[in-house]
Amino acid sequence: MADNNHSHFQHLYFVLTGIPGLELKYYWMAFPLGAIYVIALFGNGVIISTIKSEPSLHIPMYYFLCMLALADTGLALCTMPSMLGIFWFNYKSIAFDACLVQMYFIHTFSAIESGVLVAMAFDRVVAIWKPLRYGTILTSGVVCRTGAVILTRAICVVLPVPFLIKRLPFYRSNILSHSFCLHQDVMSLACASTRVNSLYGLIAVIFTKGSDSLSILLSYAFILRTVMAIASGEGRLKALNTCVSHICAVLIFYVPLIGVSVIHRFGKHLSPLTHALMANAYLLIPPVLNPIVYTLKTKEIQRKLIQIFIPAKVTAEG
């Protein structure tokens, strides 16, 4: 009878958790956290503006990089309000519906980033396999359609998730394990069967990140086979060097993702601190490190940074 009375009850808000055990140090952690977001937003903003303004970068490889930067910017903006609210103002509450919105956009931008990494892998396959036909295979229309497919897939796959959560009753604990709302975390607080949610979540992960990671592996297997067929050692190194930035981006995205998945599945005995740090790394590392990796490998972006900082320095000295 009690279950029937609570069958449609939901909390008005959830309570977010920062980093367990370090509550007294939040004030000092707020500054580096703010710096991380500044680096992420500024770095990705520079990449987007450079690609837009530099005609020499108007090629498929950099169009896909622009998509990656947009996904990273979206991911950073999704987590920034709740993270800074906790560490700067000790504000831990988030409304139920706001939590669902944040959850939706976090998982959507994550799926977009995964899809963009696949597109970038295909770009490297074409560039190495058919370099003379690169421009005719990956035309602007193909790039636009690829971006549209990536966006549509992410929106459609993640869209049912908040509605599946919305139908569940919540009348016990409302304390989440992270500084933001994730599907598994919110689902674990439900007071009813979550079999449908778990099944759909598994299907969504397989359809997005599972198939994407397999596609990237197959792409690089084909790339290695093609590179090994190149006669000169210098030619092989030159071809592989064009893949270094993308390989770094793949590792930056998938290593924290695999770590979070393994800990969630097999790390029940680990401390809440470990779970929190891994979840934060999964969402904060890609937006921060991707711009750094591509800036180090792209001279045009380096020149853009010099144009931004050098005049400011000269003006200050004058």
Side-chain angles (χ1 to χ4, degrees):
M1 187 70 179
D3 287 342
N4 289 333
N5 292 337
H6 292 294
S7 60
H8 298 291
F9 182 82
Q10 292 171 340
H11 296 300
L12 294 177
Y13 62 92
F14 286 111
V15 177
L16 300 169
T17 302
I19 299 180
L22 299 178
E23 288 82 1
L24 296 178
K25 299 181 180 179
Y26 281 179
Y27 179 79
W28 298 107
M29 295 171 65
F31 295 100
L33 182 65
I36 286 173
Y37 278 110
V38 169
I39 293 170
L41 296 176
F42 175 76
N44 286 293
V46 168
I47 287 176
I48 294 167
S49 64
T50 303
I51 293 172
K52 181 180 178 181
S53 61
E54 283 285 340
S56 62
L57 299 183
H58 293 176
I59 57 176
M61 174 183 174
Y62 291 104
Y63 288 147
F64 289 132
L65 175 57
C66 188
M67 294 180 196
L68 184 69
L70 287 169
D72 280 334
T73 301
L75 205 55
L77 290 174
C78 285
T79 60
M80 185 170 67
S82 58
M83 290 280 282
L84 296 185
I86 291 172
F87 290 92
W88 283 17
F89 308 108
N90 199 31
Y91 186 80
K92 299 182 179 181
S93 298
I94 182 170
F96 185 91
D97 289 336
C99 182
L100 297 186
V101 170
Q102 184 187 49
M103 178 181 67
Y104 173 77
F105 280 107
I106 286 175
H107 291 297
T108 297
F109 280 114
S110 182
I112 290 172
E113 181 153 350
S114 180
V116 171
L117 290 173
V118 175
M120 296 174 84
F122 180 71
D123 170 84
R124 293 299 84 207
V125 168
V126 175
I128 293 172
W129 181 43
K130 298 286 186 182
L132 297 179
R133 296 183 57 197
Y134 177 75
T136 58
I137 295 174
L138 289 176
T139 62
S140 297
V142 170
V143 172
C144 289
R145 286 193 293 271
T146 302
V149 168
I150 292 170
L151 179 62
T152 303
R153 183 191 69 160
I155 291 173
C156 293
V157 169
V158 183
L159 187 60
V161 171
F163 294 102
L164 290 173
I165 290 291
K166 187 79 172 176
R167 70 185 181 85
L168 296 172
F170 295 86
Y171 52 85
R172 292 180 186 142
S173 176
N174 66 336
I175 301 176
L176 297 172
S177 304
H178 303 302
S179 306
F180 32 76
C181 298
L182 297 177
H183 178 234
Q184 290 281 356
D185 197 16
V186 176
M187 184 178 66
S188 66
L189 299 181
C191 302
S193 173
T194 58
R195 183 174 300 176
V196 174
N197 297 65
S198 297
L199 180 60
Y200 185 81
L202 178 62
I203 293 171
V205 168
I206 292 173
F207 183 63
T208 54
K209 285 146 190 181
S211 62
D212 289 349
S213 58
L214 180 61
S215 298
I216 292 170
L217 283 174
L218 293 175
S219 297
Y220 274 98
F222 186 82
I223 287 172
L224 285 174
R225 180 183 173 185
T226 305
V227 167
M228 289 301 105
I230 299 174
S232 68
E234 183 180 352
R236 287 196 291 268
L237 286 175
K238 185 177 180 181
L240 289 174
N241 188 53
T242 64
C243 301
V244 171
S245 297
H246 180 252
I247 292 172
C248 289
V250 170
L251 293 176
I252 287 168
F253 180 77
Y254 279 102
V255 169
L257 173 62
I258 293 170
V260 168
S261 301
V262 170
I263 285 179
H264 176 78
R265 180 68 61 182
F266 304 108
K268 305 294 185 182
H269 61 286
L270 296 175
S271 67
L273 175 62
T274 304
H275 287 267
L277 290 176
M278 284 302 300
N280 289 339
Y282 161 55
L283 292 179
L284 290 178
I285 286 178
V288 172
L289 291 189
N290 281 337
I292 294 173
V293 168
Y294 279 96
T295 297
L296 293 175
K297 294 289 290 183
T298 310
K299 293 180 180 179
E300 289 83 357
I301 299 176
Q302 294 172 11
R303 285 201 296 267
K304 184 75 170 182
L305 286 172
I306 292 172
Q307 291 173 4
I308 292 172
F309 286 110
I310 296 300
K313 183 178 178 181
V314 172
T315 303
E317 290 176 352

PDB file of all heavy atoms in Angstrom, residues 213-242:
ATOM      1  N   SER A 213      33.945   2.804 -30.969  1.00  0.00           N
ATOM      2  CA  SER A 213      35.291   2.323 -30.626  1.00  0.00           C
ATOM      3  C   SER A 213      35.725   1.204 -31.561  1.00  0.00           C
ATOM      4  O   SER A 213      36.890   1.138 -31.973  1.00  0.00           O
ATOM      5  CB  SER A 213      35.337   1.856 -29.167  1.00  0.00           C
ATOM      6  OG  SER A 213      34.383   0.833 -28.932  1.00  0.00           O
ATOM      7  N   LEU A 214      34.785   0.309 -31.931  1.00  0.00           N
ATOM      8  CA  LEU A 214      35.108  -0.763 -32.872  1.00  0.00           C
ATOM      9  C   LEU A 214      35.454  -0.189 -34.249  1.00  0.00           C
ATOM     10  O   LEU A 214      36.413  -0.639 -34.901  1.00  0.00           O
ATOM     11  CB  LEU A 214      33.928  -1.729 -32.982  1.00  0.00           C
ATOM     12  CG  LEU A 214      34.106  -2.918 -33.940  1.00  0.00           C
ATOM     13  CD1 LEU A 214      35.281  -3.784 -33.488  1.00  0.00           C
ATOM     14  CD2 LEU A 214      32.822  -3.746 -34.009  1.00  0.00           C
ATOM     15  N   SER A 215      34.708   0.823 -34.680  1.00  0.00           N
ATOM     16  CA  SER A 215      34.976   1.455 -35.979  1.00  0.00           C
ATOM     17  C   SER A 215      36.356   2.105 -35.995  1.00  0.00           C
ATOM     18  O   SER A 215      37.088   2.029 -36.997  1.00  0.00           O
ATOM     19  CB  SER A 215      33.906   2.503 -36.279  1.00  0.00           C
ATOM     20  OG  SER A 215      32.630   1.912 -36.376  1.00  0.00           O
ATOM     21  N   ILE A 216      36.728   2.751 -34.883  1.00  0.00           N
ATOM     22  CA  ILE A 216      38.048   3.391 -34.802  1.00  0.00           C
ATOM     23  C   ILE A 216      39.153   2.343 -34.849  1.00  0.00           C
ATOM     24  O   ILE A 216      40.171   2.510 -35.542  1.00  0.00           O
ATOM     25  CB  ILE A 216      38.147   4.251 -33.529  1.00  0.00           C
ATOM     26  CG1 ILE A 216      37.205   5.456 -33.630  1.00  0.00           C
ATOM     27  CG2 ILE A 216      39.577   4.732 -33.305  1.00  0.00           C
ATOM     28  CD1 ILE A 216      37.046   6.231 -32.341  1.00  0.00           C
ATOM     29  N   LEU A 217      38.971   1.229 -34.134  1.00  0.00           N
ATOM     30  CA  LEU A 217      39.965   0.153 -34.156  1.00  0.00           C
ATOM     31  C   LEU A 217      40.130  -0.418 -35.559  1.00  0.00           C
ATOM     32  O   LEU A 217      41.263  -0.632 -36.032  1.00  0.00           O
ATOM     33  CB  LEU A 217      39.548  -0.957 -33.186  1.00  0.00           C
ATOM     34  CG  LEU A 217      39.779  -0.683 -31.698  1.00  0.00           C
ATOM     35  CD1 LEU A 217      39.175  -1.807 -30.857  1.00  0.00           C
ATOM     36  CD2 LEU A 217      41.274  -0.562 -31.396  1.00  0.00           C
ATOM     37  N   LEU A 218      39.022  -0.657 -36.248  1.00  0.00           N
ATOM     38  CA  LEU A 218      39.089  -1.193 -37.611  1.00  0.00           C
ATOM     39  C   LEU A 218      39.737  -0.180 -38.560  1.00  0.00           C
ATOM     40  O   LEU A 218      40.498  -0.567 -39.461  1.00  0.00           O
ATOM     41  CB  LEU A 218      37.684  -1.557 -38.102  1.00  0.00           C
ATOM     42  CG  LEU A 218      37.007  -2.733 -37.386  1.00  0.00           C
ATOM     43  CD1 LEU A 218      35.568  -2.914 -37.877  1.00  0.00           C
ATOM     44  CD2 LEU A 218      37.810  -4.025 -37.598  1.00  0.00           C
ATOM     45  N   SER A 219      39.447   1.102 -38.343  1.00  0.00           N
ATOM     46  CA  SER A 219      40.057   2.140 -39.179  1.00  0.00           C
ATOM     47  C   SER A 219      41.575   2.131 -39.044  1.00  0.00           C
ATOM     48  O   SER A 219      42.303   2.211 -40.044  1.00  0.00           O
ATOM     49  CB  SER A 219      39.506   3.519 -38.798  1.00  0.00           C
ATOM     50  OG  SER A 219      38.118   3.601 -39.045  1.00  0.00           O
ATOM     51  N   TYR A 220      42.055   2.018 -37.819  1.00  0.00           N
ATOM     52  CA  TYR A 220      43.504   2.032 -37.617  1.00  0.00           C
ATOM     53  C   TYR A 220      44.157   0.727 -38.044  1.00  0.00           C
ATOM     54  O   TYR A 220      45.337   0.717 -38.433  1.00  0.00           O
ATOM     55  CB  TYR A 220      43.841   2.404 -36.178  1.00  0.00           C
ATOM     56  CG  TYR A 220      43.908   3.902 -36.017  1.00  0.00           C
ATOM     57  CD1 TYR A 220      42.830   4.621 -35.510  1.00  0.00           C
ATOM     58  CD2 TYR A 220      45.019   4.611 -36.453  1.00  0.00           C
ATOM     59  CE1 TYR A 220      42.872   5.999 -35.418  1.00  0.00           C
ATOM     60  CE2 TYR A 220      45.072   5.989 -36.362  1.00  0.00           C
ATOM     61  CZ  TYR A 220      44.002   6.673 -35.847  1.00  0.00           C
ATOM     62  OH  TYR A 220      44.051   8.049 -35.778  1.00  0.00           O
ATOM     63  N   ALA A 221      43.432  -0.362 -37.999  1.00  0.00           N
ATOM     64  CA  ALA A 221      43.957  -1.607 -38.553  1.00  0.00           C
ATOM     65  C   ALA A 221      44.168  -1.449 -40.057  1.00  0.00           C
ATOM     66  O   ALA A 221      45.200  -1.873 -40.615  1.00  0.00           O
ATOM     67  CB  ALA A 221      42.994  -2.757 -38.264  1.00  0.00           C
ATOM     68  N   PHE A 222      43.196  -0.817 -40.720  1.00  0.00           N
ATOM     69  CA  PHE A 222      43.319  -0.575 -42.153  1.00  0.00           C
ATOM     70  C   PHE A 222      44.432   0.424 -42.447  1.00  0.00           C
ATOM     71  O   PHE A 222      45.180   0.271 -43.424  1.00  0.00           O
ATOM     72  CB  PHE A 222      41.981  -0.058 -42.704  1.00  0.00           C
ATOM     73  CG  PHE A 222      41.954   0.086 -44.195  1.00  0.00           C
ATOM     74  CD1 PHE A 222      41.720  -1.007 -45.009  1.00  0.00           C
ATOM     75  CD2 PHE A 222      42.182   1.327 -44.783  1.00  0.00           C
ATOM     76  CE1 PHE A 222      41.705  -0.873 -46.389  1.00  0.00           C
ATOM     77  CE2 PHE A 222      42.163   1.471 -46.158  1.00  0.00           C
ATOM     78  CZ  PHE A 222      41.928   0.367 -46.966  1.00  0.00           C
ATOM     79  N   ILE A 223      44.552   1.457 -41.596  1.00  0.00           N
ATOM     80  CA  ILE A 223      45.617   2.447 -41.779  1.00  0.00           C
ATOM     81  C   ILE A 223      46.987   1.793 -41.657  1.00  0.00           C
ATOM     82  O   ILE A 223      47.886   2.025 -42.484  1.00  0.00           O
ATOM     83  CB  ILE A 223      45.466   3.591 -40.758  1.00  0.00           C
ATOM     84  CG1 ILE A 223      44.285   4.495 -41.141  1.00  0.00           C
ATOM     85  CG2 ILE A 223      46.741   4.425 -40.664  1.00  0.00           C
ATOM     86  CD1 ILE A 223      43.936   5.534 -40.098  1.00  0.00           C
ATOM     87  N   LEU A 224      47.165   0.952 -40.637  1.00  0.00           N
ATOM     88  CA  LEU A 224      48.455   0.273 -40.451  1.00  0.00           C
ATOM     89  C   LEU A 224      48.775  -0.633 -41.638  1.00  0.00           C
ATOM     90  O   LEU A 224      49.925  -0.695 -42.097  1.00  0.00           O
ATOM     91  CB  LEU A 224      48.432  -0.540 -39.155  1.00  0.00           C
ATOM     92  CG  LEU A 224      48.546   0.260 -37.858  1.00  0.00           C
ATOM     93  CD1 LEU A 224      48.364  -0.653 -36.644  1.00  0.00           C
ATOM     94  CD2 LEU A 224      49.899   0.971 -37.779  1.00  0.00           C
ATOM     95  N   ARG A 225      47.763  -1.325 -42.131  1.00  0.00           N
ATOM     96  CA  ARG A 225      47.974  -2.183 -43.302  1.00  0.00           C
ATOM     97  C   ARG A 225      48.396  -1.356 -44.511  1.00  0.00           C
ATOM     98  O   ARG A 225      49.302  -1.753 -45.267  1.00  0.00           O
ATOM     99  CB  ARG A 225      46.677  -2.940 -43.604  1.00  0.00           C
ATOM    100  CG  ARG A 225      46.787  -3.877 -44.807  1.00  0.00           C
ATOM    101  CD  ARG A 225      45.442  -4.519 -45.080  1.00  0.00           C
ATOM    102  NE  ARG A 225      45.468  -5.281 -46.314  1.00  0.00           N
ATOM    103  CZ  ARG A 225      44.418  -5.868 -46.864  1.00  0.00           C
ATOM    104  NH1 ARG A 225      43.230  -5.776 -46.264  1.00  0.00           N
ATOM    105  NH2 ARG A 225      44.520  -6.533 -47.992  1.00  0.00           N
ATOM    106  N   THR A 226      47.767  -0.198 -44.698  1.00  0.00           N
ATOM    107  CA  THR A 226      48.104   0.678 -45.822  1.00  0.00           C
ATOM    108  C   THR A 226      49.499   1.263 -45.656  1.00  0.00           C
ATOM    109  O   THR A 226      50.283   1.332 -46.617  1.00  0.00           O
ATOM    110  CB  THR A 226      47.071   1.822 -45.937  1.00  0.00           C
ATOM    111  OG1 THR A 226      45.764   1.262 -46.040  1.00  0.00           O
ATOM    112  CG2 THR A 226      47.350   2.690 -47.151  1.00  0.00           C
ATOM    113  N   VAL A 227      49.829   1.682 -44.426  1.00  0.00           N
ATOM    114  CA  VAL A 227      51.136   2.294 -44.163  1.00  0.00           C
ATOM    115  C   VAL A 227      52.259   1.281 -44.369  1.00  0.00           C
ATOM    116  O   VAL A 227      53.321   1.611 -44.913  1.00  0.00           O
ATOM    117  CB  VAL A 227      51.172   2.876 -42.735  1.00  0.00           C
ATOM    118  CG1 VAL A 227      52.593   3.236 -42.327  1.00  0.00           C
ATOM    119  CG2 VAL A 227      50.278   4.100 -42.636  1.00  0.00           C
ATOM    120  N   MET A 228      52.030   0.031 -43.952  1.00  0.00           N
ATOM    121  CA  MET A 228      53.060  -0.991 -44.109  1.00  0.00           C
ATOM    122  C   MET A 228      53.368  -1.286 -45.579  1.00  0.00           C
ATOM    123  O   MET A 228      54.430  -1.814 -45.912  1.00  0.00           O
ATOM    124  CB  MET A 228      52.629  -2.278 -43.407  1.00  0.00           C
ATOM    125  CG  MET A 228      52.631  -2.199 -41.882  1.00  0.00           C
ATOM    126  SD  MET A 228      54.256  -1.798 -41.182  1.00  0.00           S
ATOM    127  CE  MET A 228      54.027  -0.077 -40.714  1.00  0.00           C
ATOM    128  N   ALA A 229      52.437  -0.934 -46.445  1.00  0.00           N
ATOM    129  CA  ALA A 229      52.642  -1.156 -47.880  1.00  0.00           C
ATOM    130  C   ALA A 229      53.466  -0.046 -48.526  1.00  0.00           C
ATOM    131  O   ALA A 229      53.878  -0.171 -49.687  1.00  0.00           O
ATOM    132  CB  ALA A 229      51.300  -1.286 -48.584  1.00  0.00           C
ATOM    133  N   ILE A 230      53.693   1.050 -47.793  1.00  0.00           N
ATOM    134  CA  ILE A 230      54.516   2.142 -48.314  1.00  0.00           C
ATOM    135  C   ILE A 230      55.975   1.704 -48.319  1.00  0.00           C
ATOM    136  O   ILE A 230      56.486   1.164 -47.328  1.00  0.00           O
ATOM    137  CB  ILE A 230      54.328   3.420 -47.475  1.00  0.00           C
ATOM    138  CG1 ILE A 230      52.861   3.887 -47.532  1.00  0.00           C
ATOM    139  CG2 ILE A 230      55.252   4.528 -47.949  1.00  0.00           C
ATOM    140  CD1 ILE A 230      52.554   5.065 -46.627  1.00  0.00           C
ATOM    141  N   ALA A 231      56.654   1.947 -49.417  1.00  0.00           N
ATOM    142  CA  ALA A 231      58.014   1.409 -49.596  1.00  0.00           C
ATOM    143  C   ALA A 231      59.024   2.049 -48.642  1.00  0.00           C
ATOM    144  O   ALA A 231      59.794   1.347 -47.973  1.00  0.00           O
ATOM    145  CB  ALA A 231      58.454   1.606 -51.046  1.00  0.00           C
ATOM    146  N   SER A 232      59.048   3.374 -48.567  1.00  0.00           N
ATOM    147  CA  SER A 232      60.089   4.049 -47.781  1.00  0.00           C
ATOM    148  C   SER A 232      59.703   4.186 -46.311  1.00  0.00           C
ATOM    149  O   SER A 232      58.530   4.393 -45.977  1.00  0.00           O
ATOM    150  CB  SER A 232      60.357   5.441 -48.368  1.00  0.00           C
ATOM    151  OG  SER A 232      59.244   6.282 -48.163  1.00  0.00           O
ATOM    152  N   GLY A 233      60.701   4.071 -45.453  1.00  0.00           N
ATOM    153  CA  GLY A 233      60.472   4.248 -44.019  1.00  0.00           C
ATOM    154  C   GLY A 233      60.060   5.665 -43.693  1.00  0.00           C
ATOM    155  O   GLY A 233      59.229   5.894 -42.813  1.00  0.00           O
ATOM    156  N   GLU A 234      60.640   6.640 -44.428  1.00  0.00           N
ATOM    157  CA  GLU A 234      60.284   8.033 -44.208  1.00  0.00           C
ATOM    158  C   GLU A 234      58.817   8.285 -44.558  1.00  0.00           C
ATOM    159  O   GLU A 234      58.107   9.010 -43.864  1.00  0.00           O
ATOM    160  CB  GLU A 234      61.178   8.933 -45.062  1.00  0.00           C
ATOM    161  CG  GLU A 234      60.938  10.419 -44.843  1.00  0.00           C
ATOM    162  CD  GLU A 234      61.836  11.291 -45.703  1.00  0.00           C
ATOM    163  OE1 GLU A 234      62.751  10.740 -46.350  1.00  0.00           O
ATOM    164  OE2 GLU A 234      61.608  12.522 -45.719  1.00  0.00           O
ATOM    165  N   GLY A 235      58.353   7.657 -45.628  1.00  0.00           N
ATOM    166  CA  GLY A 235      56.950   7.802 -46.025  1.00  0.00           C
ATOM    167  C   GLY A 235      56.006   7.210 -44.996  1.00  0.00           C
ATOM    168  O   GLY A 235      54.940   7.776 -44.724  1.00  0.00           O
ATOM    169  N   ARG A 236      56.410   6.079 -44.418  1.00  0.00           N
ATOM    170  CA  ARG A 236      55.568   5.446 -43.379  1.00  0.00           C
ATOM    171  C   ARG A 236      55.469   6.336 -42.152  1.00  0.00           C
ATOM    172  O   ARG A 236      54.386   6.519 -41.586  1.00  0.00           O
ATOM    173  CB  ARG A 236      56.138   4.077 -43.017  1.00  0.00           C
ATOM    174  CG  ARG A 236      55.936   3.008 -44.077  1.00  0.00           C
ATOM    175  CD  ARG A 236      56.162   1.616 -43.514  1.00  0.00           C
ATOM    176  NE  ARG A 236      57.566   1.397 -43.199  1.00  0.00           N
ATOM    177  CZ  ARG A 236      58.458   0.856 -44.033  1.00  0.00           C
ATOM    178  NH1 ARG A 236      58.078   0.493 -45.249  1.00  0.00           N
ATOM    179  NH2 ARG A 236      59.708   0.674 -43.667  1.00  0.00           N
ATOM    180  N   LEU A 237      56.614   6.903 -41.730  1.00  0.00           N
ATOM    181  CA  LEU A 237      56.608   7.780 -40.553  1.00  0.00           C
ATOM    182  C   LEU A 237      55.781   9.038 -40.800  1.00  0.00           C
ATOM    183  O   LEU A 237      55.050   9.504 -39.922  1.00  0.00           O
ATOM    184  CB  LEU A 237      58.040   8.162 -40.173  1.00  0.00           C
ATOM    185  CG  LEU A 237      58.884   7.067 -39.505  1.00  0.00           C
ATOM    186  CD1 LEU A 237      60.309   7.544 -39.300  1.00  0.00           C
ATOM    187  CD2 LEU A 237      58.268   6.649 -38.178  1.00  0.00           C
ATOM    188  N   LYS A 238      55.897   9.581 -42.016  1.00  0.00           N
ATOM    189  CA  LYS A 238      55.144  10.785 -42.348  1.00  0.00           C
ATOM    190  C   LYS A 238      53.645  10.514 -42.323  1.00  0.00           C
ATOM    191  O   LYS A 238      52.857  11.334 -41.819  1.00  0.00           O
ATOM    192  CB  LYS A 238      55.565  11.278 -43.730  1.00  0.00           C
ATOM    193  CG  LYS A 238      54.935  12.608 -44.126  1.00  0.00           C
ATOM    194  CD  LYS A 238      55.445  13.081 -45.480  1.00  0.00           C
ATOM    195  CE  LYS A 238      54.792  14.409 -45.859  1.00  0.00           C
ATOM    196  NZ  LYS A 238      55.271  14.882 -47.196  1.00  0.00           N
ATOM    197  N   ALA A 239      53.238   9.347 -42.834  1.00  0.00           N
ATOM    198  CA  ALA A 239      51.817   8.994 -42.841  1.00  0.00           C
ATOM    199  C   ALA A 239      51.294   8.793 -41.421  1.00  0.00           C
ATOM    200  O   ALA A 239      50.213   9.279 -41.070  1.00  0.00           O
ATOM    201  CB  ALA A 239      51.607   7.726 -43.670  1.00  0.00           C
ATOM    202  N   LEU A 240      52.067   8.091 -40.593  1.00  0.00           N
ATOM    203  CA  LEU A 240      51.634   7.842 -39.213  1.00  0.00           C
ATOM    204  C   LEU A 240      51.612   9.123 -38.391  1.00  0.00           C
ATOM    205  O   LEU A 240      50.798   9.264 -37.478  1.00  0.00           O
ATOM    206  CB  LEU A 240      52.552   6.801 -38.559  1.00  0.00           C
ATOM    207  CG  LEU A 240      52.406   5.361 -39.057  1.00  0.00           C
ATOM    208  CD1 LEU A 240      53.468   4.462 -38.431  1.00  0.00           C
ATOM    209  CD2 LEU A 240      51.010   4.816 -38.736  1.00  0.00           C
ATOM    210  N   ASN A 241      52.525  10.044 -38.715  1.00  0.00           N
ATOM    211  CA  ASN A 241      52.593  11.303 -37.961  1.00  0.00           C
ATOM    212  C   ASN A 241      51.317  12.117 -38.106  1.00  0.00           C
ATOM    213  O   ASN A 241      50.945  12.874 -37.201  1.00  0.00           O
ATOM    214  CB  ASN A 241      53.795  12.121 -38.434  1.00  0.00           C
ATOM    215  CG  ASN A 241      54.034  13.338 -37.563  1.00  0.00           C
ATOM    216  OD1 ASN A 241      54.137  13.236 -36.348  1.00  0.00           O
ATOM    217  ND2 ASN A 241      54.108  14.509 -38.187  1.00  0.00           N
ATOM    218  N   THR A 242      50.611  11.951 -39.241  1.00  0.00           N
ATOM    219  CA  THR A 242      49.357  12.687 -39.429  1.00  0.00           C
ATOM    220  C   THR A 242      48.245  12.161 -38.528  1.00  0.00           C
ATOM    221  O   THR A 242      47.193  12.804 -38.404  1.00  0.00           O
ATOM    222  CB  THR A 242      48.893  12.593 -40.901  1.00  0.00           C
ATOM    223  OG1 THR A 242      48.603  11.225 -41.221  1.00  0.00           O
ATOM    224  CG2 THR A 242      49.963  13.110 -41.852  1.00  0.00           C
TER     225      THR A 242
END
